Amino acid sequence: MTLVQSDADNEVRDPAPWWQSAVVYQVYPRSFADSDGDGIGDVRGVIQQLDHLVYLGIDVIWLSPIYQSPNDDNGYDISDYENIDPTFGTLADVDELIAAAHARGVRIVMDLVVNHTSDEHPWFIESSSSSTNPKRDWYWWRPARDGHSIGDYGAEPTNWESFFSGSTWQFDDRTGEYYLHLFSKKQPDLNWENPEVRHAIHGMMNRWLDRGIDGFRMDVINLISKDPSLPDGAVGPQARWGNGFPHYSAGPRIHEFLHEMHQAVFAGRDSVLMTVGEMPGVTVDEGRMFTAPGRQELDMVFQFEHVGLDHGDAGKWIVHPVPLPKLKASFARWQTGLAGHGWNSLYWNNHDQPRVVSRFGNDGAYWRESATALATVLHMQQGTPFIYQGEEIGMTNVRFTSIDDYRDVETLNYFREAVRDRGLDAALVLSSLRETSRDNARTPMQWSGRDGAGFSDGEPWIPTNRNHRVINVEDQRGVDGSVLEHYRKLIAMRHTLPVIRTGEFLLLEPKHMSLFVFERVSSHGRLLVAANLSNLVETLDLTSETWAPFRDADILLDNQQNFVFRQLLPWQAVVLARDMHSSRH
Ligand code: ISL
């Protein structure tokens, strides 16, 4: 092991944009706080709980969609971009939330879902009404494949498989053609080749910014440019469907579309805004291009590499343990790949992912320790961290035993397809859902141990995790060593230690199966982050010659408060510092 002595200064811009030292908190409004007792969280609920977010210390709230929607995919199917779904409240409530957040120094970023609309959006209703309608070309309409009649096996225009099971094409008998939907059949894909579509979206975005929001999280934004010739995808052995991904992800015009959006919407006000593009399948090289400041596209992207490592050949539904060296190598590639060129987002969780403490930690014997250790290794990296509601108290996966408890369209489609169409054993499929379903992230926020978990006085739209009796905000607030207090410390460290923003990332012990150790080095100081991500004690002898620079370092953080410089207890995580220059920046 060699410790780098030189000042490897990684600063990408001067002055650094505000979001490089910010921490974002994702609110999934449906499950956050219900102010009116209908069992569904709402905007007023978010307003009521702002104090929790201020206590936590976050800088930005990302709100998952609250727009008008038939809620086939919990609001990711929008039927009116400029109005709020009545279940969540009114535009006046949103104005109040923006004002209340701003008054507390918290910014608001809204979800932007423009790869597709709902099939109940007026644009699609018009588009589907006749093949000569002026909005026909706003979506992707195609006839049956040459020589096939509707309903034939393989008649769909391409062999692509939807993210949510089955074909990406839905036949519509009003005009006798199919429309493209990469997600559910109630989420038709917009045709971004059409300039009118882009213009309408830019106008809508500008109106939201004029209303006072501070940026956008852009849903599957790498899918908006498709190869217009719509080629078939390669078909794997024994597979029913082809892989269309290479033909619709990061397509030929993606950079042009994002730059055009930047010019039409962000130019002139980009220094106060924050943009993050959700990009399943994005590579480091692409990520660098999307986020390089000079290209004027996006501030950062959500990449998916680390949350795909436990997926098997059959996709997300069968998971495998991830050897730690693989996980570390993935993080390190993104850290070094974007450093000095673009900017990383950092996340373990969101509304689509199983809970991190259940997935990569030990949510039994080492629940508190593993939740805080995983948080530490993420938050000490370079980038903008995103915390998903409930993560800050160590919420776990939910152990539903019946398919009736699930609500998610992806989960329900998969269950139907696996059990009914493929004849898999229902109990087996249910046991896989307990690890993989998106509903693991969507159970109500656990505010207290009382009935209703402090989320709602009514019947919640999805069952509450019974462990709210022991895992909840109320029991952790102000309790030294709790998951909540640990997250508060991590957030405060990012605000006060510039090395977390600027430092070069150096992965140490890359092959170690249990220890995740890295350094952060810049002119602002030097950090050593060391975590034992296993259930056994591990030796880490910082008194030895190899580790000399850290022998007498300051302990900035220790999730078990007993570090002795020789070993790490199961799931112990520490942050040590040397030569620090700290400031609020
Ligand atoms: O959740 C996934 C797999 O389980 C992903 O494939 C997910 O569908 C993908 O990351 C895109 O997610 C986003 O767009 C979807 C929506 O269902 C997700 O909630 C959203 O985050 C379609 O709008």
Side-chain angles (χ1 to χ4, degrees):
M1 185 201 68
T2 51
L3 295 176
V4 173
Q5 299 298 329
S6 69
D7 174 18
D9 203 344
N10 248 348
E11 275 171 279
V12 278
R13 281 189 256 181
D14 197 23
W18 62 268
W19 39 260
Q20 291 193 349
S21 37
V23 178
V24 185
Y25 185 94
Q26 183 190 354
V27 168
Y28 193 66
R30 177 170 292 272
S31 302
F32 190 63
D34 171 20
S35 72
D36 59 7
D38 66 356
I40 302 175
D42 44 45
V43 175
R44 301 213 69 78
V46 183
I47 298 172
Q48 285 166 10
Q49 294 295 358
L50 274 178
D51 284 347
H52 170 68
L53 304 183
V54 171
Y55 179 75
L56 190 56
I58 55 97
D59 306 278
V60 184
I61 297 172
W62 150 27
L63 273 188
S64 274
I66 50 175
Y67 314 96
Q68 221 160 67
S69 164
N71 286 306
D72 182 59
D73 185 19
N74 285 0
Y76 283 90
D77 49 319
I78 296 169
S79 52
D80 183 349
Y81 288 111
E82 307 203 29
N83 274 304
I84 302 306
D85 200 90
T87 47
F88 293 126
T90 63
L91 275 170
D93 294 333
V94 175
D95 289 340
E96 197 179 318
L97 170 63
I98 296 170
H102 286 175
R104 290 166 164 88
V106 173
R107 291 173 157 102
I108 301 275
V109 161
M110 300 273 280
D111 224 304
L112 179 81
V113 188
V114 289
N115 173 68
H116 44 266
T117 65
S118 162
D119 65 340
E120 298 181 33
H121 193 291
W123 296 345
F124 186 77
I125 293 174
E126 274 192 55
S127 180
S128 56
S129 65
S130 90
S131 41
T132 54
N133 184 276
K135 290 209 167 54
R136 183 63 169 180
D137 188 43
W138 283 43
Y139 295 84
W140 295 88
W141 292 97
R142 291 290 183 278
R145 193 183 284 266
D146 277 351
H148 285 76
S149 314
I150 304 308
D152 278 6
Y153 185 86
E156 297 89 3
T158 72
N159 65 0
W160 302 352
E161 181 176 19
S162 154
F163 282 87
F164 292 166
S165 302
S167 171
T168 54
W169 296 95
Q170 174 67 27
F171 181 68
D172 188 14
D173 48 21
R174 280 168 292 189
T175 53
E177 288 194 322
Y178 292 84
Y179 64 85
L180 177 70
H181 61 92
L182 296 181
F183 295 89
S184 109
K185 61 176 189 247
K186 287 188 66 64
Q187 293 166 298
D189 280 55
L190 281 164
N191 176 13
W192 277 67
E193 297 295 315
N194 184 331
E196 289 172 24
V197 169
R198 306 201 298 274
H199 188 72
I201 290 169
H202 299 158
M204 173 272 285
M205 293 173 73
N206 272 313
R207 286 187 289 280
W208 272 107
L209 291 177
D210 293 344
R211 210 169 185 109
I213 66 163
D214 303 289
F216 294 101
R217 173 270 186 189
M218 305 181 188
D219 195 64
V220 288
I221 202 71
N222 58 329
L223 309 188
I224 59 176
S225 165
K226 282 100 174 154
D227 176 345
S229 66
L230 304 180
D232 272 337
V235 186
Q238 297 180 341
R240 162 76 178 87
W241 303 107
N243 177 17
F245 195 78
H247 308 302
Y248 58 69
S249 169
R253 299 181 70 187
I254 186 68
H255 294 288
E256 176 197 334
F257 290 164
L258 289 175
H259 182 66
E260 180 191 58
M261 177 191 284
H262 192 285
Q263 299 304 105
V265 184
F266 308 130
R269 48 182 168 188
D270 56 332
S271 66
V272 295
L273 302 179
M274 189 193 110
T275 57
V276 49
E278 188 211 25
M279 298 201 173
V282 66
T283 64
V284 174
D285 287 343
E286 289 165 351
R288 203 166 30 215
M289 286 179 77
F290 286 122
T291 63
R295 298 180 55 88
Q296 300 188 310
E297 296 181 19
L298 299 172
D299 294 331
M300 59 193 108
V301 299
F302 290 135
Q303 55 92 6
F304 278 64
E305 211 176 277
H306 63 302
V307 291
L309 294 174
D310 58 352
H311 296 179
D313 294 339
K316 66 174 274 187
W317 303 107
I318 310 288
V319 291
H320 303 286
V322 180
L324 187 59
K326 247 176 120 173
L327 184 68
K328 293 188 290 191
S330 170
F331 277 129
R333 241 190 336 271
W334 280 91
Q335 285 289 293
T336 51
L338 263 54
H341 300 282
W343 192 251
N344 272 294
S345 73
L346 306 169
Y347 75 97
W348 281 125
N349 272 128
N350 58 45
H351 61 292
D352 294 333
Q353 302 293 333
R355 293 284 180 179
V356 64
V357 65
S358 305
R359 185 180 195 177
F360 294 117
N362 176 338
D363 66 6
Y366 293 108
W367 163 74
R368 189 194 67 79
E369 292 82 354
S370 63
T372 49
L374 290 165
T376 306
V377 296
L378 189 80
H379 280 249
M380 290 299 110
Q381 293 183 33
Q382 185 175 46
T384 300
F386 287 68
I387 299 170
Y388 177 66
Q389 66 184 44
E391 182 184 340
E392 79 278 25
I393 53 165
M395 275 178 65
T396 69
N397 282 352
V398 67
R399 312 272 189 248
F400 287 151
T401 50
S402 159
I403 191 64
D404 299 336
D405 289 334
Y406 287 96
R407 302 287 179 266
D408 169 31
V409 59
E410 182 196 41
T411 304
L412 298 175
N413 283 0
Y414 169 70
F415 184 84
R416 199 176 321 115
E417 187 236 6
V419 175
R420 192 191 63 191
D421 304 348
R422 286 196 282 139
L424 297 185
D425 178 59
L428 213 65
V429 175
L430 277 172
S431 80
S432 116
L433 295 184
R434 282 193 282 277
E435 289 186 77
T436 58
S437 170
R438 305 196 298 184
D439 280 338
N440 282 307
R442 299 178 180 185
T443 58
M445 177 69 185
Q446 297 170 196
W447 296 103
S448 80
R450 290 187 294 278
D451 290 351
F455 163 70
S456 174
D457 295 333
E459 180 72 21
W461 68 277
I462 187 171
T464 306
N465 194 323
R466 282 201 293 265
N467 67 14
H468 73 274
R469 306 270 178 217
V470 286
I471 299 178
N472 61 67
V473 174
E474 205 172 86
D475 288 352
Q476 294 185 29
R477 196 174 155 128
V479 175
D480 202 26
S482 67
V483 182
L484 177 59
E485 294 304 322
H486 191 84
Y487 268 88
R488 287 185 71 213
K489 283 185 196 158
L490 291 170
I491 296 167
M493 284 167 73
R494 181 165 296 270
H495 289 154
T496 50
L497 304 174
V499 64
I500 300 176
R501 171 173 60 83
T502 61
E504 186 181 357
F505 175 95
L506 300 164
L507 181 65
L508 308 175
E509 307 283 350
K511 296 204 163 58
H512 201 292
M513 295 298 288
S514 306
L515 296 182
F516 194 165
V517 189
F518 57 90
E519 255 198 274
R520 302 293 314 281
V521 185
S522 83
S523 57
H524 296 112
R526 190 161 163 184
L527 298 180
L528 181 72
V529 181
N532 175 5
L533 304 186
S534 84
N535 297 330
L536 302 172
V537 177
E538 289 289 344
T539 301
L540 180 72
D541 191 357
L542 297 190
T543 66
S544 69
E545 215 29 59
T546 345
W547 297 94
F550 287 98
R551 187 178 289 166
D552 51 4
D554 296 326
I555 303 178
L556 293 189
L557 189 71
D558 173 5
N559 69 342
Q560 310 202 19
Q561 297 175 12
N562 55 10
F563 184 58
V564 291
F565 287 79
R566 285 183 183 278
Q567 62 176 26
L568 286 168
L569 298 175
W571 298 99
Q572 185 161 31
V574 297
V575 181
L576 308 181
R578 282 198 46 159
D579 315 325
M580 295 301 285
H581 311 282
S582 75
S583 65
R584 168 90 207 187
H585 57 280

